[in-house]
Amino acid sequence: LKYVASSAIRDIGSIGGNLMLKHSHPEFQSDVFNLLEAVGAKITVSGLNSQKKIKTTDYLPSTWLQTDMEKKIILHIIFPPISNSHIFSSFKVTPRVAFAHAHVNAAFLAELDQENGSRIVSKPAFVFGGVSASFIHATKAETFVVGKDLKDPKVIKELFKILAKETDPDEKIDEPSRKYRAGLVEALLYKFLIMALGDSVPDSKK
């Protein structure tokens, strides 16, 4: 979280405020939202039901975006346990170090086989911001890579082919071109995969 916004903004802002900004403006590149969505955190919301009784409900962040928050509050955020076999990281590309939202940001979580360290054993989370208001998960890429060996060049080639097809940035006057942002999506995922594989990746591929 220390890379979210700037120290001046973090001193006066809140996690709840950041999330509500994302809720009101789904196109907002929220680092906080990406982090919570990638790790499978749940947002606990409280409000009155039709009988005027307090009702509390847990939502995954992507589901919560579709929830009416009128006369409701965020109580807390629940983080699930994550094993040591999982690799997590987040990245963002910004025009400057501080006081600038990201062109594209991303958060990734993947569980690797502990025997060979390169096979993804369960569905990962490839979460992106800055693509479009509706694009959160690279779902087709996430599904394809399950059970695949990341050291196989054919797997990587097909993975990025799938990612390129499902990434469709919207056109924004105040943002870099669609082609540029689509390229950032691929670059950030590649960076994560290189990090996940560690020293097994030859220098020529880094």
Side-chain angles (χ1 to χ4, degrees), residues 92-101 103:
K92 63 180 178 179
V93 179
T94 62
R96 51 189 178 275
V97 176
F99 300 105
H101 63 255
H103 294 320

Side-chain angles (χ1 to χ4, degrees), residues 29 103-104 128-133 135 167-170 172 181 185:
Q29 303 94 317
H103 294 320
V104 171
F128 296 93
V131 179
S132 70
F135 188 87
T167 304
D168 185 24
D170 53 12
K172 297 181 181 180
R181 285 184 285 132
V185 168

Side-chain angles (χ1 to χ4, degrees), residues 180-202:
Y180 176 74
R181 285 184 285 132
L184 291 181
V185 168
E186 296 181 29
L188 294 183
L189 178 57
Y190 186 80
K191 186 173 183 179
F192 171 71
L193 297 179
I194 292 296
M195 186 207 73
L197 292 174
D199 295 337
S200 64
V201 180

Side-chain angles (χ1 to χ4, degrees), residues 21-37:
L21 181 59
K22 175 70 173 178
H23 189 276
S24 300
H25 303 277
E27 72 280 4
F28 172 56
Q29 303 94 317
S30 169
D31 296 315
V32 173
F33 177 86
N34 283 0
L35 296 172
L36 298 181
E37 179 70 17

Side-chain angles (χ1 to χ4, degrees), residues 54-194:
I54 296 176
K55 180 181 180 182
T56 301
T57 309
D58 295 335
Y59 299 96
L60 291 171
S62 53
T63 304
W64 170 77
L65 284 183
Q66 311 304 318
T67 303
D68 183 4
M69 285 297 291
E70 184 176 359
K71 296 183 179 180
K72 296 177 183 178
I73 61 171
I74 296 175
L75 286 182
H76 51 251
I77 297 169
I78 303 170
F79 289 87
I82 297 176
S83 69
N84 292 333
S85 61
H86 286 80
I87 303 295
F88 171 81
S89 191
S90 64
F91 308 98
K92 63 180 178 179
V93 179
T94 62
R96 51 189 178 275
V97 176
F99 300 105
H101 63 255
H103 294 320
V104 171
N105 56 357
F108 305 101
L109 181 72
E111 182 181 11
L112 298 181
D113 184 343
Q114 292 299 285
E115 291 186 6
N116 65 11
S118 62
R119 187 181 302 276
I120 294 184
V121 299
S122 61
K123 189 174 182 179
F126 300 156
V127 179
F128 296 93
V131 179
S132 70
S134 60
F135 188 87
I136 298 174
H137 282 266
T139 53
K140 293 180 180 179
E142 291 172 343
T143 301
F144 166 78
V145 81
V146 177
K148 302 294 195 306
D149 191 337
L150 298 178
K151 291 182 180 179
D152 186 342
K154 293 182 180 179
V155 168
I156 296 300
K157 183 178 181 179
E158 184 63 22
L159 171 62
F160 280 92
K161 183 178 179 180
I162 292 171
L163 181 65
K165 286 184 177 180
E166 69 173 322
T167 304
D168 185 24
D170 53 12
E171 193 68 60
K172 297 181 181 180
I173 297 177
D174 58 342
E175 293 288 353
S177 69
R178 297 176 61 195
K179 182 178 180 180
Y180 176 74
R181 285 184 285 132
L184 291 181
V185 168
E186 296 181 29
L188 294 183
L189 178 57
Y190 186 80
K191 186 173 183 179
F192 171 71
L193 297 179
I194 292 296

